[in-house]
Amino acid sequence: MPAPVCQLLYCTTVIFKDCTFFTRKEIMRLFYRYQDLAPQLVPLDYTSCPDVKVPYELIGSMPELKVKKLNLREDNPFRQRIAQVFSEDGDGHMTLDNFLDMFSVMSEMAPRDLKAYYAFKIYDFNNDDYICAWDLEQTVTKLTRGELSTEEVSLICEKVLDEADGDHDGRLSLEDFQNMILRAPDFLSTFHIRI
């Protein structure tokens, strides 16, 4: 029996190509990756643009959302938050558009400002458009996998705010965050997913 052929309209791939940093071939590869996550849910025939969302449980299990250290893949402490930020309802369940957006922003071709914007959204746990001390505590706790004491976490958060809070209002705006990212040369190399 021949392999099933995807019916992703040419015009749809052109639209996705215009809205992402991918070639048509890469879009097709990502579509197949999306479809492989839930073959019973995601049809190969996408000509009618079905209203399909792959559940977070499947998105979160992707090896692409794991952190590679010493040739081993570990759980990314931000994988759920990444999925929440890129899903339209904030629940981590993703449409094909959401999935392509996530991979596009996390691609090596995405510009620093776009990556910084989404990194900011990922670290803004309470979704108030600022990174406050509580957001920083959540971030540090996730990064250190809960291995620091409350006092150590608080001290780190204070130091970050002292260093990066340009207008001294006790929280980081997007502009404060972008200025901080400019001083982090490894940001672009760590904020990406390879396809």
Side-chain angles (χ1 to χ4, degrees):
M1 180 163 102
V5 176
C6 170
Q7 295 294 319
L8 194 59
L9 289 175
Y10 177 78
C11 63
T12 304
T13 58
V14 168
I15 291 168
F16 285 140
K17 187 175 177 302
D18 288 344
C19 298
T20 67
F21 299 100
F22 296 127
T23 64
R24 187 171 184 273
K25 183 178 177 181
E26 290 168 326
I27 291 167
M28 292 304 296
R29 189 172 343 141
L30 284 167
F31 170 77
Y32 283 122
R33 181 69 184 100
Y34 181 75
Q35 204 271 337
D36 282 346
L37 289 171
Q40 72 288 357
L41 188 63
V42 180
L44 281 171
D45 183 352
Y46 237 74
T47 55
S48 64
C49 298
D51 185 26
V52 174
K53 287 185 180 183
V54 171
Y56 167 72
E57 294 74 26
L58 298 173
I59 299 289
S61 70
M62 293 173 31
E64 294 90 342
L65 286 180
K66 294 188 182 245
V67 177
K68 188 174 183 181
K69 286 186 179 178
L70 302 173
N71 294 327
L72 299 172
R73 293 219 177 251
E74 296 180 8
D75 284 343
N76 180 341
F78 295 99
R79 72 174 182 233
Q80 183 172 13
R81 186 69 187 138
I82 291 167
Q84 289 170 339
V85 165
F86 283 97
S87 64
E88 57 197 44
D89 297 331
D91 56 9
H93 306 317
M94 290 193 176
T95 64
L96 178 60
D97 288 355
N98 302 152
F99 189 77
L100 289 172
D101 285 347
M102 176 181 71
F103 273 91
S104 182
V105 168
M106 303 293 255
S107 75
E108 292 175 339
M109 298 302 294
R112 177 186 293 267
D113 287 348
L114 184 63
K115 288 178 175 288
Y117 172 77
Y118 278 95
F120 179 84
K121 289 177 65 98
I122 289 165
Y123 300 143
D124 178 17
F125 285 88
N126 61 8
N127 300 316
D128 67 352
D129 296 325
Y130 291 95
I131 297 176
C132 62
W134 184 82
D135 295 318
L136 285 171
E137 288 170 8
Q138 301 303 305
T139 300
V140 171
T141 300
K142 284 186 176 293
L143 284 171
T144 60
R145 302 184 189 275
E147 295 176 2
L148 298 179
S149 70
T150 304
E151 294 79 23
E152 291 169 318
V153 170
S154 293
L155 180 62
I156 292 169
C157 295
E158 284 176 34
K159 295 285 186 195
V160 168
L161 286 172
D162 286 345
E163 178 74 23
D165 182 14
D167 56 5
H168 307 291
D169 62 354
R171 59 191 183 177
L172 301 180
S173 65
L174 177 58
E175 183 179 344
D176 293 332
F177 185 78
Q178 287 175 323
N179 289 333
M180 183 177 68
I181 291 300
L182 286 174
R183 296 179 297 203
D186 61 338
F187 172 70
L188 287 177
S189 65
T190 57
F191 197 77
H192 78 276
I193 299 175
R194 294 191 192 279
I195 59 166

